[in-house]
Amino acid sequence: MADPRSTPAMQQYARFKAKHPDCVLLFRMGDFYEMFDEDAVRVSKAIGLTLTQRSAGVPMAGMPFHQLDTYLRKLIAAGFRVAVCDQIEDASQAKGLVARAVTRVITPGTIVDEQLLESGQSGAGAARIGAVAFLGTGEDAPAALAVADASTGEMVLVDVAPGALMDELARRSVTELLYAHTDGPAVPPRIARAIEGLRIAGTSRPQWHFRPQEAPETLRKHYGVATLAGFGLRDDDAALIAAAVLVRYLADTQTALDDPDNVSGKADHTLTRPTLRHLAPPRRETRGTRCEIDAVSLRALEIERTVRAALGSSGSVGGADGSLLGVFLSAGPGKGTPRTAMGRRLLRDWLCQPSADLAEIRTRHDGVATLVSDRRVAREIGEALDLVQDVARLSARVALARATPRDIVALGVSIGRLPALIDSLANAPGLSGVRMGLESCRAELEPLGEIVRRTCVEHPPAHLREGGLFREGVDAELDEARLLQRDAGAWLSDYQTKLIAEHNLPHLKVGFNKVFGYYIELPAAQARSAPATLIRKQTLRNAERFTTPELREFEGKVMTAEARALERERVLFQAMCDRLSRACPAMNRFAESVARLDTLLALADRASAKGWNRPELTQDGTLRIVQGRHPVLEELRGSDFVPNDLDLGREASDNPADRARLALITGPNMAGKSTFIRQVALITVLAHVGSFVPAESATVGLTDRIFTRIGADDALHAGQSTFMVEMTETANILHHATPRSLVILDEIGRGTSTLDGLSLAWSIAEFLAGQGEHAGPRTLFATHYHELTELEDMLPGRVRNLHVAVREWSRADAAHPEIIFLHRILPGRTDQSYGVHVARLAGIPPRVVERAREVLASLSVSHGLGGSSGASDGASSAGNQTPASDASSPSGKRGKKVQVPPRGSDASQIPLFTEFVPHPAMNLLREVKLETLSPMQAFDMLRKLKDEAERA
């Protein structure tokens, strides 16, 4: 029995599979894409395809060719890399084995087809790929990173500080990371932490791709330049290594058809060849131009997605509802949502990577201010943007030979909006930069747009194989073929009438079938008397089908005409794509200008709809917010949201509290401490984005980094407990925060014992408040450790106390006071957290709540630095709080005294619980002289001490 793998087709399959061993190979055979062997088994299990056999011992699974996009989406979501092997010649014209080629390789970071990009990603779909080159071998070695979006052509180069790789990848939504292959089977630890922590794909590349001496030449060759200086790049820039790796990888995956190893058989010379013309020159980002937000803070502040959505995701950027980005995306056009996919992607990037360039921020604010003050201009711009499609991705698909007729028409319509966009900006001086960007590409693009609109129909077909893209009169050869097609219906009608009259067959019909072509059909009863001129072609259950020499001749003409028309349209389509592809740089400039304009308009629409105001950005450490509101909760709660003020780091103020850089915020659970500190961080983010902010006024000192330590989380897979994660994140803050940073801390030290936690929280707060002449970062520290409020007295001008206001009142029918959370942040301290009250509201059984009150009273403690309570629900109050009880327990036993040493003390440890209330047993013990006691006297003394202890 012959080996089923010895057939020419299977041998051809084996050659392609050997070339792409790490990919699932989709092998086009007629109307199906087939998979064999291990590919078929793995895919059938992963996405539920039916597993069959081509012949004994060869597992096989397949999918219809017209449903390729549907199955590609499933395969990529399941984590597969896919190589698509297409037939590159007409099977009917092939002599022997049909020529095939791997036309593209699809990986998580190289998706360019709109159908495969999730609409929720970045507001408009995103799949970015990064390449990292480490500048040393140690764990603390810095790195150079290149990030590209294959679907738009954007490429960015950045330097990465030691330990910051994951943060940089998270900010830039990288879904696949390229790294140098190592000799061992294991992924390098730094890479493993990043791909596992972010749930992204990792792909190793040969070591020789990372040779620094070859990187500049690779880039010069790709961009067709003699020097990279025109791009602002030096040949010794380490980031060029990563950029060259990216260019090689994109060429391997996106232009696979140009690789001879990926082609088997004689390729059709008219095939459109994919290029990387859309790939823009690398743009260098220097450190310090961005307000950095690490991955932990992005998640905690819910800028791109909510924490709940992040926990349920698998690396995609979905779940925007309820996030800061979601506020804009869900608002609707005219109320804050960008009108184009390009604008939605740019808005996401601005929110995750706010600017720290004061000139750039002010330029954005000027643009937003122009559109807020002149709503007529804003409406005109909005109307001009409404018809602009995703030009960046459309031009990329043109360059990569993936464009459809609808893509071409969409490009023509979008380019046609250029004059209207430029005219709408004539009276908008704050947007002069955008206008110049649009003017720079007008001369090249406007004629192209006119050609597309003049030659293509307004409603094109989905695929070129259907024909009908080009208008009548565009091409004489196409018109001739179409004329013959149109006349076919009239000719067939006349021919049917002629046959009926000649042969007296009133039920005769002339029709067409895709399988059998043109035919003459007679009912079975009349077929018996059919004339000899009708040649039998097919027998049906109740009819017979015939043909004639005349009908055969006509069929040949028509079928040839249809094929000629489709071939002519394909030639015209390729010529148009080639012309558009050469204009990719200009289309990229157009896309960038439209994205910026659309994003600024969205920010202005939001500011106008919600009454947001322009913040003032300064070079000092001021953080002053008047009547600030949480941008997300304001949307959800509306007028129910309570605004609040904040004043930190104002060096010119006469009030020492306003000069303080650290605010300790105390108050009850559920009263709004966490909301307030997040609110301040989000207002700071928006100010650096270039947006107006939800506040009556805001003065924000330029911020280099935003750090957060919020919530409880663990990393058990890495052997880290909740408290270890908390301390690790806090350590990162303490090592990297600068006087220009903003630090948000929520309940530091709550993951361990009370004394350990209080000690750590105290020392951390002291450190962040600043040391000597060195100012600390602006810090908001929400805590239930009320002992920390003494720092305001110990560190005047560095620490200030804030508390959340609560109102208490007693009811005759209630055993304990009722409270109302006012959600107001006021100066001063508080010493009650009302945790027991919150437990009662949560439905804890009354017996448990009452017992908790008893235990709370017995555990109450006080310290000697101001007389306020240190228990979490406190036994006394301060500020505007109402006293709840004294420090004695119901049994009359007094609590222990807590003493915290002054800052700068030489004591090696805080002497907590080392000073005791006088007690008779203690007095008796002090009088004992151990050296004079006999054994019997010692036993008698021990009995006396026990009696005194029981009487107390």
Side-chain angles (χ1 to χ4, degrees):
M1 183 176 179
D3 184 354
R5 291 184 174 82
S6 64
T7 64
M10 289 302 293
Q11 291 177 356
Q12 189 184 48
Y13 169 85
R15 288 195 296 272
F16 287 125
K17 182 61 182 175
K19 176 70 175 176
H20 301 278
D22 58 340
C23 296
V24 169
L25 182 64
L26 301 185
F27 192 70
R28 177 75 182 268
M29 301 184 76
D31 290 339
F32 286 83
Y33 283 100
E34 304 289 2
M35 293 164 286
F36 300 98
D37 298 323
E38 184 62 24
D39 283 357
V41 175
R42 291 166 57 214
V43 170
S44 66
K45 292 179 180 178
I47 66 174
L49 284 180
T50 301
L51 188 65
T52 61
Q53 287 190 352
R54 176 178 176 84
S55 54
V58 183
M60 173 180 173
M63 60 195 71
F65 81 97
H66 60 275
Q67 293 185 343
L68 176 63
D69 289 341
T70 300
Y71 285 98
L72 282 177
R73 189 182 303 112
K74 294 180 180 180
L75 289 169
I76 296 299
F80 292 105
R81 295 164 54 89
V82 182
V84 180
C85 183
D86 283 307
Q87 297 177 174
I88 56 174
E89 70 171 332
D90 189 342
S92 63
Q93 304 297 321
K95 296 180 179 179
L97 187 64
V98 177
R100 292 182 173 88
V102 173
T103 55
R104 53 177 165 155
V105 177
I106 304 169
T107 70
T110 60
I111 303 172
V112 299
D113 300 274
E114 198 68 27
Q115 299 88 340
L116 303 182
L117 289 163
E118 297 178 19
S119 60
Q121 291 181 335
S122 298
R128 290 176 178 161
I129 185 167
V132 61
F134 290 105
L135 311 180
T137 57
E139 282 291 312
D140 58 348
L145 179 69
V147 177
D149 186 338
S151 70
T152 65
E154 177 190 24
M155 185 188 294
V156 178
L157 308 181
V158 292
D159 294 324
V160 182
L165 177 61
M166 187 184 302
D167 299 330
E168 202 66 57
L169 297 175
R171 281 192 290 269
R172 300 179 186 279
S173 286
V174 171
T175 55
E176 183 178 3
L177 181 63
L178 309 180
Y179 61 92
H181 177 73
T182 57
D183 293 335
V187 178
R190 289 172 291 184
I191 300 296
R193 286 194 295 271
I195 62 179
E196 291 171 8
L198 298 175
R199 301 179 186 177
I200 62 176
T203 302
S204 65
R205 304 296 288 164
Q207 282 278 3
W208 65 270
H209 284 193
F210 290 81
R211 293 174 186 166
Q213 59 271 26
E214 296 182 7
E217 180 57 31
T218 298
L219 295 175
R220 286 194 292 266
K221 181 179 179 181
H222 172 75
Y223 290 106
V225 295
T227 175
L228 298 175
F231 302 150
L233 302 172
R234 305 189 317 272
D235 282 0
D236 61 350
D237 189 337
L240 296 187
I241 301 172
V245 170
L246 269 186
V247 169
R248 286 179 181 273
Y249 187 70
L250 291 174
D252 289 345
T253 58
Q254 304 305 299
T255 63
L257 185 57
D258 282 341
D259 184 347
D261 290 340
N262 281 323
V263 180
S264 177
K266 184 178 179 181
D268 189 336
H269 70 280
T270 65
L271 283 173
T272 303
R273 299 289 173 173
T275 69
L276 292 178
R277 286 174 179 163
H278 72 296
L279 196 61
R283 175 170 53 85
R284 195 67 165 84
E285 279 192 7
T286 56
R287 294 185 64 83
T289 60
R290 292 285 181 268
C291 173
E292 295 183 15
I293 308 175
D294 58 31
V296 171
S297 300
L298 280 174
R299 179 174 178 268
L301 295 177
E302 298 185 323
I303 290 177
E304 185 181 9
R305 61 170 89 79
T306 62
V307 172
R308 186 181 299 273
L311 290 173
S313 69
S314 58
S316 64
V317 188
D321 290 347
S323 66
L324 181 60
L325 176 62
V327 165
F328 288 93
L329 298 186
S330 62
K335 296 182 180 180
T337 299
R339 288 166 167 79
T340 69
M342 298 172 289
R344 291 192 287 275
R345 287 195 298 272
L346 184 61
L347 175 61
R348 183 265 165 205
D349 289 345
W350 281 7
L351 290 175
C352 293
Q353 305 171 65
S355 178
D357 183 330
L358 193 56
E360 169 64 14
I361 295 171
R362 288 174 175 169
T363 299
R364 294 179 188 178
H365 280 148
D366 289 342
V368 174
T370 297
L371 296 172
V372 169
S373 61
D374 194 336
R375 298 306 293 165
R376 181 186 61 81
V377 170
R379 284 193 297 273
E380 290 177 357
I381 293 173
E383 291 170 358
L385 287 171
D386 281 339
L387 294 178
V388 178
Q389 304 297 309
D390 197 343
V391 174
R393 290 209 170 132
L394 292 172
S395 64
R397 291 201 288 275
V398 167
L400 294 170
R402 306 260 217 288
T404 67
R406 291 177 180 175
D407 290 339
I408 298 299
V409 173
L411 266 179
V413 171
S414 300
I415 294 172
R417 304 307 295 166
L418 250 174
L421 285 170
I422 293 173
D423 292 344
S424 67
L425 296 171
N427 298 317
L431 297 166
S432 58
V434 177
R435 193 172 193 271
M436 291 174 59
L438 293 172
E439 288 280 14
S440 71
C441 55
R442 182 174 188 173
E444 184 174 359
L445 293 186
E446 203 167 357
L448 284 178
E450 175 60 29
I451 290 173
V452 172
R453 296 191 301 276
R454 177 170 49 82
T455 60
C456 298
V457 298
E458 292 183 3
H459 304 289
H463 303 283
L464 193 62
R465 62 176 177 266
E466 300 173 11
L469 170 61
F470 294 95
R471 297 179 186 271
E472 298 289 342
V474 170
D475 182 79
E477 184 178 340
L478 177 61
D479 289 345
E480 180 183 356
R482 284 178 172 174
L483 180 62
L484 185 56
Q485 286 182 276
R486 282 197 303 271
D487 287 346
W491 187 90
L492 289 175
S493 178
D494 292 342
Y495 188 57
Q496 177 176 304
T497 302
K498 173 185 173 183
L499 291 177
I500 291 174
E502 285 182 358
H503 304 293
N504 191 26
L505 298 171
H507 298 291
L508 181 145
K509 295 179 182 178
V510 179
F512 173 78
N513 181 288
K514 287 185 178 181
V515 177
F516 293 98
Y518 289 94
Y519 58 84
I520 300 167
E521 183 175 295
L522 288 171
Q526 293 188 13
R528 288 189 288 270
S529 56
T533 54
L534 297 184
I535 304 169
R536 193 177 303 277
K537 187 175 185 179
Q538 182 184 14
T539 300
L540 303 178
R541 181 176 180 182
N542 297 315
E544 293 282 348
R545 287 179 176 175
F546 303 85
T547 187
T548 64
E550 189 176 8
L551 185 59
R552 284 176 175 170
E553 180 183 358
F554 176 77
E555 180 178 14
K557 290 181 179 179
V558 171
M559 298 303 290
T560 303
E562 182 178 359
R564 288 204 314 271
L566 289 175
E567 176 60 24
R568 187 58 185 167
E569 284 209 64
R570 189 160 70 93
V571 172
L572 294 174
F573 180 76
Q574 181 174 334
M576 181 170 288
C577 287
D578 288 343
R579 188 167 185 175
L580 289 170
S581 178
R582 289 192 291 271
C584 275
M587 286 192 280
N588 283 341
R589 296 197 302 274
F590 176 51
E592 290 172 4
S593 298
V594 167
R596 185 179 180 89
L597 179 60
D598 192 18
T599 303
L600 293 174
L601 177 60
L603 296 176
D605 288 342
R606 188 67 186 171
S608 178
K610 290 296 181 179
W612 292 7
N613 293 294
R614 179 172 182 165
E616 179 185 357
L617 271 290
T618 65
Q619 291 282 10
D620 60 18
T622 300
L623 183 55
R624 187 167 188 265
I625 299 171
V626 178
Q627 295 293 282
R629 310 182 300 276
H630 193 295
V632 179
L633 294 184
E634 177 189 36
E635 180 75 10
L636 301 176
R637 301 289 297 274
S639 59
D640 290 340
F641 189 83
V642 178
N644 278 294
D645 302 339
L646 176 68
D647 212 339
L648 282 181
R650 195 147 55 97
E651 297 295 337
S653 175
D654 295 331
N655 183 358
D658 293 343
R659 296 197 297 270
R661 282 175 163 260
L662 186 144
L664 282 167
I665 308 164
T666 53
N669 290 293
M670 291 181 57
K673 298 192 303 295
S674 297
T675 296
F676 176 69
I677 61 177
R678 283 181 170 94
Q679 167 184 311
V680 171
L682 292 179
I683 288 175
T684 302
V685 168
L686 288 170
H688 285 74
V689 161
S691 171
F692 284 15
V693 299
E696 284 189 6
S697 65
T699 303
V700 180
L702 207 59
T703 305
D704 60 356
R705 298 188 69 170
I706 296 177
F707 295 96
T708 66
R709 164 83 281 279
I710 298 173
D713 196 5
D714 60 42
L716 297 180
H717 63 281
Q720 294 186 352
S721 66
T722 300
F723 185 64
M724 185 61 179
V725 170
E726 177 182 329
M727 289 296 100
T728 300
E729 294 176 0
T730 304
N732 177 61
I733 295 172
L734 299 181
H735 282 299
H736 296 103
T738 73
R740 285 189 176 274
S741 301
L742 174 65
V743 177
I744 304 297
L745 301 177
D746 195 6
E747 303 298 348
I748 288 293
R750 303 295 285 186
T752 185
S753 70
T754 301
L755 297 186
D756 281 347
L758 174 58
S759 303
L760 285 166
W762 187 289
S763 60
I764 289 168
E766 281 187 343
F767 183 91
L768 291 173
Q771 307 285 328
E773 298 298 321
H774 302 286
R778 291 157 293 182
T779 304
L780 298 180
F781 194 143
T783 183
H784 285 297
Y785 288 132
H786 302 123
E787 291 84 357
L788 299 183
T789 59
E790 299 302 330
L791 286 170
E792 183 182 57
D793 301 325
M794 299 173 64
L795 302 174
R798 291 183 180 272
V799 178
R800 74 177 306 176
N801 287 327
L802 301 174
H803 73 278
V804 188
V806 173
R807 179 168 296 170
E808 286 190 44
W809 81 99
S810 298
R811 288 172 42 188
D813 59 342
H816 302 281
E818 295 291 334
I819 64 172
I820 294 178
F821 300 134
L822 300 181
H823 305 295
R824 295 284 297 165
I825 305 296
L826 301 175
R829 70 190 77 190
T830 187
D831 58 6
Q832 296 193 68
S833 298
Y834 294 95
V836 175
H837 177 82
V838 173
R840 181 177 65 82
L841 295 178
I844 296 295
R847 289 180 58 188
V848 177
V849 172
E850 189 57 35
R851 177 56 181 159
R853 293 188 188 279
E854 294 175 2
V855 174
L856 176 66
S858 68
L859 294 178
S860 295
V861 297
S862 63
H863 57 68
L865 296 173
S868 65
S869 168
S872 62
D873 255 46
S876 64
S877 63
N880 69 338
Q881 305 300 315
T882 303
S885 63
D886 64 26
S888 297
S889 68
S891 62
K893 296 180 181 178
R894 296 176 58 86
K896 301 171 184 177
K897 186 177 181 181
V898 179
Q899 183 177 4
V900 180
R903 191 162 177 261
S905 171
D906 292 334
S908 61
Q909 183 176 354
I910 296 176
L912 298 173
F913 302 136
T914 58
E915 295 188 12
F916 297 87
V917 176
H919 190 281
M922 295 296 296
N923 294 334
L924 185 61
L925 184 60
R926 288 191 183 98
E927 296 174 359
V928 173
K929 294 181 175 54
L930 294 176
E931 64 276 7
T932 63
L933 290 179
S934 67
M936 289 301 296
Q937 288 173 325
F939 182 78
D940 186 56
M941 177 58 68
L942 183 59
R943 185 173 58 251
K944 289 180 181 180
L945 289 173
K946 182 176 183 297
D947 292 342
E948 288 293 343
E950 290 177 347
R951 282 197 295 270

